[in-house]
Amino acid sequence: MSAQIFPVPTEVASRALVDDAKYQEMYDRSVKDPDGFWGDHGKRIDWFKPYTKVKNVSYDPHNVSIKWYEDGTLNAAYNCIDRHLEKRGDQTAIIWEGDDPADDAKITYRDLHGHVCRLANVLKARGVKKGDRVCIYMPMIPEAAYAMLACARIGAVHSIVFGGFSPDALAGRIQDSDCVAVITSDEGLRGGKKVPLKANADEALANCPSVKTCVVVKRTGSAINWVDNRDIWYHEATEAASADCPCEEMNAEDPLFILYTSGSTGKPKGVLHTTGGYMVYASMTHEYVFDYHDGDVYWCTADVGWVTGHSYIVYGPLANGAISLMFEGVPSYPDASRFWQVCDKHQVNTFYTAPTAIRALMREGNAPVEKCKLDSLRLLGSVGEPINPEAWIWYYEVVGKKRCPIVDTWWQTETGGILITPLPGATALKPGSATRPFFGVQPEIVDGEGKVLDGATEGNLCISESWPGQMRTVYGDHERFVQTYFTTYPGKYFTGDGCRRDEDGYYWITGRVDDVINVSGHRMGTAEVESALVLHKDVAEAAVVGAPHDIKGQGIYAYVTLNVGVEPTDALKKELVQWVRHEIGPIASPDWLQWAPGLPKTRSGKIMRRILRKIAEDEFSNLGDTSTLADPGVVDNLIDQRQNRK
Ligand code: 6R9
């Protein structure tokens, strides 16, 4: 592994909130005295009624219960907007950069207050009340942030569905949480291409009787279908609404949002986050990890459809009164220099993106980066998947000009905020390592039997104690929450990731150890893709695994068994790829599809994905234990087919 170490640069250290000694001191206190530590840091948030209790958590598999600040009351929108009005009402809250480089806007905290209140009043007038679920299916426009905060303001629980998901995927998520309203736009615009959001929503809503209201933002102005009494134009309704809307007083443990994420089995899970602990954790990690100082321009390139957009475009930064840049487009449009042009244009200080984007841009060479000055950049960040040292070095040298530390932040939808990460002023960096735990986070590496391993070692990553940003349950299915995260290694939260710890106590995430594929930093359950494939009339069976992919990190490799009598043609392959795209969305498109006359199974009928993974990686001589195979001939056949393709 990479032995190179990058110490904290002096300029970074001189302005940093935390140096190494302070990190150690704060970390020690956070684990020895969590009540004292989080009791103090909880005060970074404004509470209507202060809490008297801090942590109340049980990881006992018979009674998993996670509560933080349980008797405090607050409102997330108040913390992101109202409390800043006096001091920084005229400061920019959101810099919006459109898909077209000529399109941009600056929204001050005062503007934000008006927009959010108006939309909140529109929702209220349509009967949306505290506790109701509202689905947001939006492009990256400021109205997406207004929608989140309007829900938070009135105590409605938002559930954002990424704009790249299909009507079916959207419908499933709306139905699972019985949303009463949907907020969408006529179309989205990405890389010059239109995305038919309203048409998709219409198709989904045909099967979602719980939805009484669909608020539509006009983004492109294209003609759309309209359902009277259900659909309302955002611009018309908000114009007529009052710009004053009181904040609902929420208990710390009242839900703030649901976000669906893929797991190793079954349909996506509705990860539920509550208000108090989440806000404390999102704002605190945003400040310390990005060493945020007043006036810094901070850009996280994620989409609000993913958890990174929730915590590090909206809730964390806005709770801190930050300037948060929101980008509608893609890194390659109009050309591969776009990210860097936006950095120069808005004088971005902190830039936070995903390894897949870095790898894709790296492939374009240095010229698109070198066209730009990038002298405003001070700090770089990475999230979503392990960053390979080669991409790390390129990011560090070519983008950051060897001046800017890279914070490689490991976390999950479930964790609400960053758990393992460098702190810019405190942590020497090793390319490819997420380095050390954030305050209060106690990682443990365990072997297959759950034995905790000490020192330099490798195994499965668990977290032994709770932190305030942790998810509280799977919406509507607490048992699934317990089963998924707390039964594999009783008494600990199991992350689903593999991990190595080196001699210096640095953590290196090695990737998922379950049946989840990380495609371009987005999680996809193999089971979901398989279910989509077997829905096709010609498919008898399918098995999906992840395989190494140059840009995406992992790509989707599908083995498909056709029904008897169906001809395996290239046209059918294309059709099946399209089929999955249509069923789930473009992010689920298989990158490779191989015909499998039979699948390797155990005698009890379990598909042996381990073997399929090896075949997809061309590691034919290293298949591991094959003694439990019901029919070894199946494997030889798959290897033959794989070899003949090349
Ligand atoms: C925030 C987010 C979570 C999974 C996680 C892990 C992978 C995320 C990473 C990383 C290595 C990092 N992951 N950050 N792996 N280094 N810095 O991505 O949430 O979409 O839920 O994905 O992503 O495998 O378990 P989510």
Side-chain angles (χ1 to χ4, degrees):
M1 272 291 162
S2 169
Q4 228 176 335
I5 297 190
F6 295 79
V8 176
T10 6
E11 318 81 80
V12 174
S14 64
R15 81 191 285 270
L17 295 166
V18 174
D19 62 12
D20 193 35
K22 181 134 184 245
Y23 165 77
Q24 294 295 351
E25 178 200 316
M26 287 176 76
Y27 183 77
D28 288 349
R29 177 169 182 234
S30 74
V31 299
K32 283 192 194 118
D33 176 20
D35 277 287
F37 182 88
W38 290 113
D40 286 351
H41 287 284
K43 294 183 187 136
R44 60 183 299 114
I45 287 300
D46 282 5
W47 300 82
F48 294 147
K49 180 169 148 291
Y51 49 85
T52 64
K53 297 181 187 150
V54 178
K55 179 184 177 193
N56 180 5
V57 175
S58 160
Y59 277 2
D60 173 357
H62 301 293
N63 172 38
V64 175
S65 160
I66 300 163
K67 290 183 181 152
W68 285 87
Y69 310 110
E70 62 186 293
D71 60 347
T73 67
L74 75 163
N75 183 286
Y78 180 90
N79 274 282
C80 289
I81 310 168
D82 303 53
R83 68 161 168 170
H84 304 310
L85 291 178
E86 199 179 324
K87 200 174 138 206
R88 52 175 112 240
D90 297 322
Q91 181 207 293
T92 300
I94 297 173
I95 300 177
W96 178 71
E97 170 76 14
D99 188 54
D100 179 332
D103 254 357
D104 60 15
K106 287 194 168 138
I107 296 112
T108 66
Y109 276 94
R110 204 177 314 286
D111 298 335
L112 185 61
H113 180 260
H115 290 299
V116 168
C117 285
R118 285 175 192 277
L119 179 56
N121 281 324
V122 169
L123 294 173
K124 265 180 155 173
R126 297 288 298 198
V128 180
K129 50 185 198 312
K130 179 173 176 172
D132 285 348
R133 277 79 53 214
V134 174
C135 174
I136 299 174
Y137 184 61
M138 293 274 265
M140 285 290 287
I141 54 179
E143 288 81 356
Y146 307 162
M148 296 164 76
L149 293 164
C151 289
R153 197 166 187 93
I154 63 172
V157 183
H158 60 71
S159 165
I160 307 192
V161 177
F162 175 59
F165 278 119
S166 69
D168 268 2
L170 175 62
R173 286 157 173 79
I174 292 174
Q175 289 158 357
D176 184 75
S177 48
D178 284 316
C179 293
V180 300
V182 172
I183 305 172
T184 187
S185 75
D186 50 1
E187 292 177 315
L189 207 52
R190 288 185 88 226
K193 294 198 196 85
K194 292 174 171 176
V195 186
L197 295 175
K198 174 62 161 64
N200 288 349
D202 285 333
E203 203 180 320
L205 291 184
N207 299 313
C208 299
S210 60
V211 175
K212 305 293 180 231
T213 301
C214 181
V215 183
V216 187
V217 178
K218 190 178 264 187
R219 171 68 188 97
T220 63
S222 299
I224 50 169
N225 171 51
W226 201 254
V227 177
D228 284 335
N229 299 322
R230 185 195 74 188
D231 298 351
I232 53 175
W233 279 115
Y234 174 95
H235 60 277
E236 287 177 7
T238 52
E239 197 182 283
S242 156
D244 179 33
C245 173
C247 289
E248 192 73 38
E249 183 171 347
M250 305 299 284
N251 180 270
E253 286 302 336
D254 281 337
L256 177 61
F257 66 85
I258 298 166
L259 183 57
Y260 286 86
T261 191
S262 296
S264 46
T265 54
K267 54 183 185 146
K269 297 182 283 278
V271 168
L272 184 107
H273 283 285
T274 57
T275 311
Y278 173 82
M279 289 303 291
V280 170
Y281 200 75
S283 72
M284 182 156 171
T285 45
H286 173 261
E287 181 178 352
Y288 284 90
V289 175
F290 300 105
D291 198 46
Y292 191 84
H293 290 64
D294 268 356
D296 286 354
V297 177
Y298 160 88
W299 179 15
C300 164
T301 70
D303 189 288
V304 293
W306 310 112
V307 74
T308 308
H310 285 64
S311 302
Y312 300 113
I313 294 178
V314 178
Y315 289 114
L318 298 183
N320 292 338
I323 304 170
S324 182
L325 195 151
M326 185 175 186
F327 177 44
E328 185 182 33
V330 296
S332 53
Y333 179 84
D335 58 51
S337 193
R338 185 68 191 278
F339 270 179
W340 324 124
Q341 278 161 9
V342 174
C343 285
D344 277 3
K345 175 177 174 188
H346 297 294
Q347 291 293 290
V348 170
N349 305 119
T350 300
F351 177 74
Y352 186 32
T353 195
T356 183
I358 298 165
R359 286 192 298 266
L361 292 170
M362 189 171 132
R363 218 163 63 161
E364 305 283 335
N366 298 357
V369 192
E370 283 161 0
K371 279 213 300 233
C372 300
K373 284 211 186 82
L374 297 182
D375 52 354
S376 59
L377 286 178
R378 272 198 298 258
L379 180 65
L380 303 172
S382 171
V383 60
E385 55 175 312
I387 178 164
N388 46 310
E390 190 197 0
W392 195 102
I393 297 286
W394 184 82
Y395 195 25
Y396 185 78
E397 290 182 348
V398 181
V399 179
K401 322 284 181 213
K402 304 183 184 174
R403 279 187 292 109
C404 309
I406 298 175
V407 288
D408 177 356
T409 64
W410 174 83
W411 60 297
Q412 310 177 297
T413 306
E414 294 87 337
T415 70
I418 295 163
L419 295 197
I420 301 183
T421 179
L423 298 186
T427 318
L429 307 172
K430 299 187 191 183
S433 171
T435 76
R436 305 189 293 192
F438 191 72
F439 308 127
V441 175
Q442 300 185 54
E444 281 186 341
I445 298 184
V446 302
D447 68 12
E449 276 69 57
K451 183 168 166 281
V452 178
L453 306 172
D454 293 324
T457 188
E458 185 166 343
N460 300 322
L461 180 63
C462 293
I463 312 289
S464 68
E465 290 289 332
S466 182
W467 61 98
Q470 185 170 25
M471 76 182 282
R472 301 302 197 252
T473 192
V474 170
Y475 184 81
D477 197 349
H478 194 65
E479 192 43 39
R480 190 169 176 205
F481 176 57
V482 176
Q483 282 301 325
T484 310
Y485 305 104
F486 299 97
T487 52
T488 322
Y489 304 110
K492 308 179 200 309
Y493 167 78
F494 176 46
T495 65
D497 278 325
C499 183
R500 184 169 75 82
R501 185 173 47 221
D502 70 16
E503 325 59 61
D504 297 322
Y506 275 38
Y507 291 87
W508 301 73
I509 308 297
T510 53
R512 302 289 303 193
V513 294
D514 54 10
D515 290 324
V516 172
I517 312 179
N518 192 326
V519 189
S520 301
H522 301 313
R523 280 162 64 169
M524 198 30 68
T526 52
E528 277 169 82
V529 185
E530 289 165 5
S531 322
L533 281 166
V534 296
L535 278 177
H536 190 279
K537 64 174 183 6
D538 293 337
V539 176
E541 201 170 20
V544 167
V545 297
H549 185 288
D550 285 350
I551 302 293
K552 300 180 179 182
Q554 275 191 308
I556 298 179
Y557 197 112
Y559 294 88
V560 173
T561 310
L562 294 171
N563 284 323
V564 176
V566 178
E567 189 67 19
T569 61
D570 282 350
L572 182 55
K573 259 191 196 174
K574 283 211 184 81
E575 185 181 324
L576 290 176
V577 171
Q578 271 310 114
W579 174 267
V580 176
R581 241 181 119 83
H582 179 263
E583 283 297 315
I584 307 176
I587 58 164
S589 305
D591 297 280
W592 305 273
L593 198 146
Q594 178 175 341
W595 302 125
L599 290 167
K601 289 187 186 165
T602 61
R603 282 175 205 119
S604 63
K606 277 207 171 70
I607 294 176
M608 295 177 75
R609 284 167 214 283
R610 174 172 57 79
I611 293 179
L612 293 174
R613 258 181 236 124
K614 293 284 181 199
I615 297 175
E617 286 168 20
D618 292 325
E619 290 208 29
F620 311 127
S621 57
N622 184 18
L623 295 180
D625 180 14
T626 52
S627 60
T628 52
L629 268 172
D631 174 6
V634 163
V635 172
D636 298 334
N637 184 305
L638 290 179
I639 292 177
D640 276 355
Q641 293 223 6
R642 169 87 190 149
Q643 280 173 323
N644 290 339
R645 276 160 40 100
K646 292 190 293 177

